[in-house]
Amino acid sequence: DTGVSQNPRHKITKRGQNVTFRCDPISEHNRLYWYRQTLGQGPEFLTYFQNEAQLEKSRLLSDRFSAERPKGSFSTLEIQRTEQGDSAMYLCASSLGLELNEQFFGPGTRLTVL
Amino acid sequence: AQSVTQLGSHVSVSEGALVLLRCNYSSSVPPYLFWYVQYPNQGLQLLLKYTSAATLVKGINGFEAEFKKSETSFHLTKPSAHMSDAAEYFCAVRAGGQNFVFGPGTRLSVLP
């Protein structure tokens, strides 16, 4: 299966620690998206890459959050100085760079900040 | 700004009954609309999408949705529910850029 993969699937950390998540998109997809989903809510857009360029960032993405996609393939999302409010499911999706192409979602990384 | 509302956070239907999940959107430009399904511990999967072609859109697993501009709605239907349809369903809108706005979701339960 060559779908979108995310690692780790679960992460438990203490408040104030840094965490990093990885997303591996479908290989030929040049667009990559990060979303955050809290319990009982739909995904909220965080940021989007076209190849290695980060083209859009949500206001939800505070200075403690940073995302990279260094070679236009996998991406990492880092959260510095985690807070309890960061506890959520972090979803990654990828798509071909054509108009309205379907986004394929990964299974997500569930973050719990104690 | 775009927004999506989904009436009913939880809908229960009997197996074989009609499924109707409601979605209303707000958009300042002609929208592109999507329905996604999420099974437990899995990623979201696209059911169908509206891209300004036919207003009645057919998707996978027997689902369809009708775009009604006058009502700003994009309700999802399926004539006969199956146990395997139990999942969380999300409506989403994209209006400009790559910022997709999702609704809060509706959890569908199918009773035997």
Side-chain angles (χ1 to χ4, degrees):
Chain A
D1 188 329
T2 57
V4 178
S5 62
Q6 294 186 246
N7 288 287
R9 293 293 306 275
H10 303 274
K11 178 70 176 178
I12 300 174
T13 190
K14 293 183 178 179
R15 189 175 55 185
Q17 298 295 304
N18 299 343
V19 294
T20 300
F21 310 140
R22 177 178 169 126
C23 171
D24 287 89
I26 294 172
S27 59
E28 64 267 26
H29 286 183
N30 58 352
R31 288 183 175 171
L32 187 147
Y33 308 77
W34 284 100
Y35 293 86
R36 180 173 66 189
Q37 185 178 20
T38 53
L39 199 61
Q41 299 298 318
E44 296 172 297
F45 172 82
L46 293 178
T47 190
Y48 145 69
F49 290 84
Q50 172 106 3
N51 299 313
E52 67 274 11
Q54 189 174 18
L55 297 184
E56 284 188 48
K57 290 200 300 185
S58 164
R59 285 172 293 177
L60 293 174
L61 212 64
S62 77
D63 292 345
R64 296 185 296 105
F65 287 69
S66 62
E68 294 183 342
R69 194 182 183 198
K71 297 183 180 180
S73 56
F74 73 92
S75 176
T76 58
L77 177 68
E78 181 183 17
I79 308 174
Q80 296 181 326
R81 305 180 302 283
T82 52
E83 301 172 357
Q84 288 186 324
D86 297 331
S87 296
M89 179 76 84
Y90 289 85
L91 300 172
C92 176
S94 69
S95 73
L96 284 169
L98 301 175
E99 185 69 7
L100 295 174
N101 255 38
E102 175 183 354
Q103 292 186 33
F104 290 82
F105 282 81
T109 295
R110 181 169 295 284
L111 173 66
T112 301
V113 182
L114 302 176
Chain B
Q2 303 84 264
S3 67
V4 175
T5 56
Q6 292 184 242
L7 186 62
S9 59
H10 185 203
V11 170
S12 291
V13 300
S14 298
E15 192 173 19
L18 171 72
V19 175
L20 170 61
L21 304 181
R22 298 178 187 275
C23 171
N24 288 86
Y25 69 91
S26 170
S27 175
S28 55
V29 298
Y32 298 119
L33 295 157
F34 307 79
W35 274 100
Y36 283 85
V37 60
Q38 186 176 32
Y39 298 101
N41 299 316
Q42 294 186 29
L44 280 76
Q45 179 183 6
L46 182 69
L47 277 177
L48 48 81
K49 62 183 178 183
Y50 166 75
T51 59
S52 75
T55 57
L56 182 63
V57 181
K58 293 187 183 300
I60 61 171
N61 301 338
F63 284 94
E64 62 181 37
E66 186 172 9
F67 172 69
K68 292 187 176 181
K69 184 178 178 180
S70 61
E71 298 177 7
T72 60
S73 69
F74 190 56
H75 300 330
L76 181 71
T77 60
K78 181 174 181 177
S80 176
H82 191 272
M83 298 296 289
S84 61
D85 294 327
E88 189 91 18
Y89 291 80
F90 296 94
C91 182
V93 62
R94 199 207 90 173
Q98 291 296 318
N99 187 340
F100 288 73
V101 177
F102 284 79
T106 296
R107 183 160 59 92
L108 175 67
S109 296
V110 181
L111 309 174

